[in-house]
């Protein structure tokens, strides 16, 4: 889901930086206010955690593997605002140091994966697990559903961002300047693979991790929310 | 077909390539070449300007000049061109090349036909708009990726993260970035050790469902360790005089 440089036009890149700017500012203000001094390293640890989750290969049927983004998991464990900062940091490091995801597309990537994904996932999880005890099965199901739905919302938005490029940017004779596929191709392509494969990977990983934490360290699910 | 344990090998391979990349980057960043001698702050600003400028270019020939100049800079910075080409083309530009192929045809890009051929009874038309759009797309992607990689391998990672302060990014981000980078190495090592331990104890192939449990257990365990670790780090920060500001 990491959009590389060259897929999005300058206007789209600029708009997403402009959209993310107030979100980043709000996130840093809220986290600074609610973060206890004791939890300061937790943000950096959360960011490193978000980075490393993406490196885990998850086995799926037919002998192949996929990987989870872990955005919803980070939001459940850290709270949506702190998760937003943690994932942004992970994405910046990936783009700047490892060429994974474009530098000009950091705004768009952060919008999809550090804003929509954790916030949608967090509130879906909260809604389904409302008032459920820490060790209840409803929390596991809520985590899985949140992982699946939020990742697909993020994938849909990524597909729309790709699909709008030929509409916004083309030459007079119809030649595409950036991502060459319109909404009719980009959206089904992005959404299809996430509805069928990656959404499930995200759901299974998020649900199972919550299940393990319930069993082994339930206190982490109680205290987990930083902001 | 439904049994495999290649997810363990793939994760270990991912970890190793991460470490290898970091080591290689440091090795190149320490060479005495052209780009290494430029102040990182100036270099970051210049490279960002180039990346932004590249978004506005509408002709693949200009992008080609940019690409050639990027390779020249890499050569002047004492980077092996073979390594650089391999590092930049795998995986994003090759993937882009692959997905750009259908865009050549009139089904996706209608326009003036330049080649028409028939396979079975279906006729395929390559349009000039499709061809030039695909070339422009792949050229832009490969040139952007090459410049981004060139920046990251000619600058020490720490310095690169430190330069972000120039852009007046909120303190909480800059501090988190610096600390996060160190933790990634620690976490990657934990993951590598755990997986090697699992691999050495698993003789038979693992059913994918069991594999998913192993991955989830690892992530949960990593988080539990992280939280425990947080306490120790905070105490260490306090003992070194941390008062809430980095």
């Amino acid at each position: 889901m990491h959009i590389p440089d060259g897929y999005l036009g300058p206007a789209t890149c600029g708009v997403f930086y402009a959209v993310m700017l107030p979100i980043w500012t709000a996130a840093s203000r809220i986290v600074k206010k609610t973060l206890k001094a004791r939890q300061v390293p937790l943000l950096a640890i959360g960011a490193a955690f978000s980075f490393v989750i993406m490196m885990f290969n998850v086995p799926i049927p037919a002998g192949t593997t996929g990987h989870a983004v872990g955005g919803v998991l980070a939001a459940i464990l850290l709270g949506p605002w702190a998760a937003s900062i943690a994932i942004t940091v992970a994405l910046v490091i990936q783009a700047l140091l490892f060429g994974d995801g474009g530098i000009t597309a950091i705004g768009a990537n952060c919008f999809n994966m550090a804003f929509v994904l954790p916030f949608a996932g967090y509130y879906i999880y909260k809604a389904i697990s409302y008032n459920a005890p820490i060790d209840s099965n409803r929390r596991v199901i809520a985590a899985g559903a949140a992982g699946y739905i939020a990742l697909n919302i993020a994938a849909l938005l990524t597909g729309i961002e790709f699909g709008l490029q030929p509409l916004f940017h083309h030459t007079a004779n119809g030649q595409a300047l950036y991502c060459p596929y319109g909404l009719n191709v980009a959206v089904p392509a992005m959404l299809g693979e996430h509805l069928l494969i990656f959404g499930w990977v995200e759901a299974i990983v998020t649900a199972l991790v919550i299940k393990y934490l319930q069993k082994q360290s339930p206190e982490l699910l109680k205290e987990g929310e930083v902001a | 077909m439904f049994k495999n344990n290649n997810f363990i090998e793939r994760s270990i391979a991912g970890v190793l390539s991460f470490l290898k990349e970091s080591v290689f980057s440091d090795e190149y960043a320490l060479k005495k070449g052209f780009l290494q001698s430029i102040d990182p702050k100036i270099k970051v600003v210049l490279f960002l300007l180039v990346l932004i400028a590249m978004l506005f270019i509408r002709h693949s020939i200009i992008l080609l000049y940019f690409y050639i100049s990027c390779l020249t800079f890499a050569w002047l910075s004492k980077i092996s061109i073979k390594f650089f080409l391999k590092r930049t083309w795998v995986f994003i530009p090759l993937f882009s090349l692959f997905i750009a192929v259908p865009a050549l045809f009139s089904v996706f890009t209608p326009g003036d036909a330049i080649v028409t051929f028939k396979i079975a009874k279906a006729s395929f038309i390559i349009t000039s708009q499709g061809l030039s759009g695909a070339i422009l797309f792949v050229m832009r992607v490969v040139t952007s990726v090459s410049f981004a990689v060139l920046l990251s391998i000619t600058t020490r990672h720490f310095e690169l993260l430190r330069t972000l302060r120039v852009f007046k990014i909120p303190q909480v981000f800059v501090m988190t970035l610096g600390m996060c980078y160190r933790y990634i190495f620690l976490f990657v090592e934990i993951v590598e050790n755990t997986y090697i331990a699992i691999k050495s104890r698993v003789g038979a192939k693992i059913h994918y469902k069991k594999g998913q449990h192993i991955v989830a257990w690892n992530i949960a365990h990593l988080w539990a360790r992280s939280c425990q670790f947080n306490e120790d780090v905070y105490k260490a920060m306090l003992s070194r005089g941390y008062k809430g500001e980095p």
Side-chain angles (χ1 to χ4, degrees), chain A residues 4-11 13 24-25 27-29 31-32 35 37-49 51-53 55-66 73 77-78 84-86 88-90 92-93 95-101 103-104 169-171 173-181 185 204-205 208-213 216-217 220 224, chain B residues 1-2 4 6-7 10-11 14-15 18 21-22 25 48 51-52 55-58 87 92 95-96 99-103 108-110 112 129 132-133 136-137 140-141 144-145 148-149 151-152 157 160-161 164 170-173 175-177 179-181 183-184 187-188 191 195 208 211-220 222-224 226-227 229-231 233-234 237 242 245:
Chain A
D5 281 314
Y7 276 59
L8 302 180
C13 292
W24 284 325
T25 316
S28 63
R29 201 176 301 143
V31 168
K32 214 173 172 182
L35 196 73
R38 194 171 59 81
Q39 290 171 317
V40 167
L42 201 59
L43 263 189
I45 290 173
F49 181 72
F51 186 100
V52 174
I53 292 179
M55 291 171 79
F56 275 100
N57 278 282
V58 184
I60 46 182
T64 180
T65 60
L73 184 63
L77 297 174
L78 289 165
S84 184
I85 294 187
T88 298
V89 166
V92 168
I93 291 182
L96 214 55
L97 306 184
F98 299 97
D100 203 0
I103 294 177
T104 53
H169 310 280
H170 54 82
T171 57
N173 66 357
Q175 178 207 316
L177 292 168
Y178 304 95
C179 180
Y181 299 105
V185 178
I204 289 166
V205 168
L208 286 178
V209 171
I210 296 298
K211 199 174 162 192
Y212 275 109
L213 287 175
Q216 286 164 351
S217 335
L220 295 180
Chain B
M1 184 180 170
F2 290 101
N4 65 80
N6 61 1
F7 70 97
R10 284 196 191 181
S11 294
V15 163
F18 167 83
E21 206 156 282
S22 315
S25 299
L48 283 184
L51 282 172
I52 294 168
L55 284 184
F56 287 93
I57 296 170
R58 285 167 166 244
R87 172 71 187 79
I92 297 164
F95 175 75
S96 308
I99 64 163
V101 171
F108 295 108
T109 319
D112 317 320
Q129 283 88 338
S132 45
L136 184 67
F137 172 63
R140 197 191 308 278
V141 171
S144 307
V145 169
V149 168
L151 173 66
S152 84
H157 284 174
L160 198 52
L161 293 179
L164 293 178
Q171 167 226 331
V172 64
F173 280 96
M175 190 177 72
T176 309
L177 268 168
M179 284 171 75
C180 171
Y181 185 64
Y183 288 131
I184 289 172
F187 284 6
V188 155
V191 173
Y195 269 23
Y208 76 91
Q212 289 169 347
H213 279 269
I214 292 177
V215 174
W217 176 82
N218 262 300
I219 295 176
L222 188 64
W223 182 248
S226 310
C227 290
F229 188 60
N230 174 51
E231 295 282 327
V233 172
Y234 182 62
M237 283 162 77
Y242 175 75
E245 292 292 324

Side-chain angles (χ1 to χ4, degrees), chain A:
Chain A
M1 205 187 282
H2 292 57
I3 304 173
D5 281 314
Y7 276 59
L8 302 180
T12 320
C13 292
V15 164
F16 280 109
Y17 268 105
V19 169
M20 280 313 288
L21 216 55
I23 297 172
W24 284 325
T25 316
S28 63
R29 201 176 301 143
I30 290 168
V31 168
K32 214 173 172 182
K33 215 188 280 173
T34 48
L35 196 73
K36 295 171 203 120
R38 194 171 59 81
Q39 290 171 317
V40 167
L42 201 59
L43 263 189
I45 290 173
F49 181 72
S50 310
F51 186 100
V52 174
I53 292 179
M54 298 187 212
M55 291 171 79
F56 275 100
N57 278 282
V58 184
I60 46 182
T64 180
T65 60
H67 77 93
V69 181
V72 177
L73 184 63
I76 296 172
L77 297 174
L78 289 165
W81 290 104
S84 184
I85 294 187
I87 302 167
T88 298
V89 166
L91 290 174
V92 168
I93 291 182
Q94 282 178 334
L96 214 55
L97 306 184
F98 299 97
D100 203 0
I103 294 177
T104 53
I106 285 177
N109 280 326
C110 284
F111 179 79
N112 301 332
M113 284 183 279
F115 175 63
V116 173
L117 183 63
F119 275 88
Y122 180 78
Y123 286 107
I124 294 167
Y125 171 76
K126 279 274 149 185
I128 301 178
S129 68
Y130 182 70
N131 266 345
I134 290 290
D135 60 348
S136 85
N137 252 342
R138 185 141 59 92
R139 280 188 187 265
V140 178
I141 296 165
Y148 185 80
I149 301 169
L151 191 78
N152 278 298
I153 297 175
L156 171 69
L157 287 171
T158 312
I160 293 175
E161 287 151 24
F162 285 146
L164 287 176
Q165 298 314 307
L167 287 177
F168 287 158
H169 310 280
H170 54 82
T171 57
N173 66 357
Q175 178 207 316
L177 292 168
Y178 304 95
C179 180
Y181 299 105
L183 288 166
N184 58 341
V185 178
V187 171
M190 276 305 289
L191 209 50
E193 61 177 12
H194 285 85
L195 281 171
L196 290 173
I197 305 170
F198 298 113
W200 293 109
V201 173
E202 193 77 19
I204 289 166
V205 168
T206 315
L208 286 178
V209 171
I210 296 298
K211 199 174 162 192
Y212 275 109
L213 287 175
Q214 277 182 337
K215 225 189 285 175
Q216 286 164 351
S217 335
E219 72 283 357
L220 295 180
L221 289 174
K222 223 181 290 173
E223 292 176 1
E225 289 172 26
V226 177

Side-chain angles (χ1 to χ4, degrees), chain B residues 43-83:
Chain B
K43 194 166 37 175
V44 168
V45 173
L46 284 177
F47 270 71
L48 283 184
L49 288 177
V50 168
L51 282 172
I52 294 168
M54 248 163 356
L55 284 184
F56 287 93
I57 296 170
R58 285 167 166 244
H59 301 284
S60 32
I61 197 81
I62 304 177
L63 282 171
L64 186 67
Y65 288 137
F66 267 93
Y67 187 57
I68 292 169
S69 66
C70 183
L71 293 182
T72 316
F73 282 132
W75 179 69
L76 288 173
S77 308
K78 299 186 177 163
I79 290 163
S80 139
I81 295 296
K82 198 176 143 198
F83 163 82

